Amino acid sequence: MNNVKRIFTVAITGASGAVYGIRVVQQLLKADCRVHLLISEAGWEVFRLEMELDTSDRQACLNGLFGDYDEKDLLIHGLRDFTAPIASGSYKTEAMIIVPCSMGTLSKISNGNSGSLLERAADVILKERRRLVIVPRETPLNGIHLENLVRAERAGAHIVPAMPGFYHLPKSMDDLINFVAGKVLDSVHVEHTLFARWGEKR
C-alpha cells in the first residue's frame, strides 16, 4: 500500500482574496496532502483587514483556520528561511500554488528575482519543470501585469485567474469561493467536491 503523501507548497500574498488560499490549504489537508505554507506580511494584513481575523497571535490564527492540524502535514515557513526544504530542487515538491498572487510577487517571479523564500520556491519549481500555479487577483490589468503573466506562462507557470463562474448557479459567497478554489485544485489534479461540474446534477 502506497502511503507516500503528495507534497505541495502554497503561498498567500497581499492581493485581495486570501480566503481563496485558505480554502485551497484546507482542501489539500482534507485530501491528506502535505503542505508547506508561506504567508507574506501583506498577506497577514489581508487576513486582518479583509477577513477580520485576529492576527496578533499568528499561531492561534492558523489553528483557528486549519484546526488541530498535524505539524508534519502543515509546515509554516518564514520568508527569510532559506534553509527550508522547498528552497532546493532536490526536495520533491509536486507543485506550488500562489493564491492569491499580487502583481508585485508576479513581477519578481517573472523576472527571476528571488529575494525571499516565496520567490525562491517558485523559481525552484520552474527550473525543475514542475507545476507552478499562479492565481492573480487584480483588476484592471495594465500592460506590465499582462507582460509579466505572459513571461511566467512561457517559463512554465499555469495561470488560473480568480474569476468565479456562474454556470453552477452559486447561491452564496461560499459557492463563489469554492468555485475558484476548486479550479485551482483541478490544476494540480487533487480531487474535490467543491462545485458541480458542467453536465453534473446541480
Side-chain angles (χ1 to χ4, degrees):
M1 184 175 182
N2 187 1
N3 293 318
V4 177
K5 288 181 179 286
R6 300 177 68 187
I7 302 173
F8 296 92
T9 298
V10 177
I12 299 175
T13 73
S16 179
V19 66
Y20 294 128
I22 291 169
R23 189 63 47 85
V24 166
V25 173
Q26 290 170 340
Q27 290 295 311
L28 288 172
L29 293 173
K30 184 178 178 181
D32 198 30
C33 300
R34 179 164 294 138
V35 179
H36 292 265
L37 179 60
L38 297 159
I39 304 172
S40 71
E41 285 301 315
W44 281 108
E45 277 296 289
V46 175
F47 279 22
R48 184 178 68 84
L49 296 172
E50 191 170 276
M51 302 185 65
E52 299 183 323
L53 294 173
D54 180 1
T55 59
S56 58
D57 184 335
R58 293 183 175 183
Q59 187 59 57
C61 181
L62 293 174
N63 290 341
L65 291 170
F66 305 117
D68 187 20
Y69 61 85
D70 189 332
E71 292 183 359
K72 293 180 180 178
D73 289 334
L74 182 60
L75 300 96
I76 316 298
H77 300 290
L79 296 192
R80 308 310 304 170
D81 183 13
F82 288 101
T83 63
I86 56 174
S88 172
S90 65
Y91 185 70
K92 290 293 186 178
T93 310
E94 183 173 331
M96 179 175 181
I97 303 165
I98 307 175
V99 53
C101 183
S102 69
M103 293 301 98
T105 300
L106 170 67
S107 175
K108 291 175 182 177
I109 292 169
S110 65
N111 288 282
N113 181 0
S114 299
S116 76
L117 178 60
L118 194 163
E119 295 107 37
R120 170 58 186 170
D123 188 59
V124 164
I125 291 290
L126 290 175
K127 79 181 182 68
E128 298 295 332
R129 299 294 190 266
R130 299 172 191 159
R131 177 60 64 96
L132 174 64
V133 179
I134 292 176
V135 185
R137 217 309 311 165
E138 183 64 88
T139 190
L141 296 169
N142 65 35
I144 295 172
H145 301 153
L146 294 169
E147 287 177 4
N148 284 334
L149 285 168
V150 169
R151 285 171 64 90
E153 195 278 337
R154 286 176 175 166
H158 190 62
I159 311 300
V160 184
M163 297 178 180
F166 292 87
Y167 56 80
H168 61 303
L169 303 181
K171 298 294 190 294
S172 67
M173 182 75 74
D174 211 45
D175 289 341
L176 297 174
I177 294 165
N178 283 343
F179 182 87
V180 172
K183 295 294 282 187
V184 171
L185 293 168
D186 284 349
S187 70
V188 291
H189 310 295
V190 171
E191 293 297 321
H192 66 87
T193 56
L194 289 177
F195 62 85
R197 301 180 187 281
W198 182 254
E200 292 180 348
K201 186 176 180 180
R202 293 177 289 183

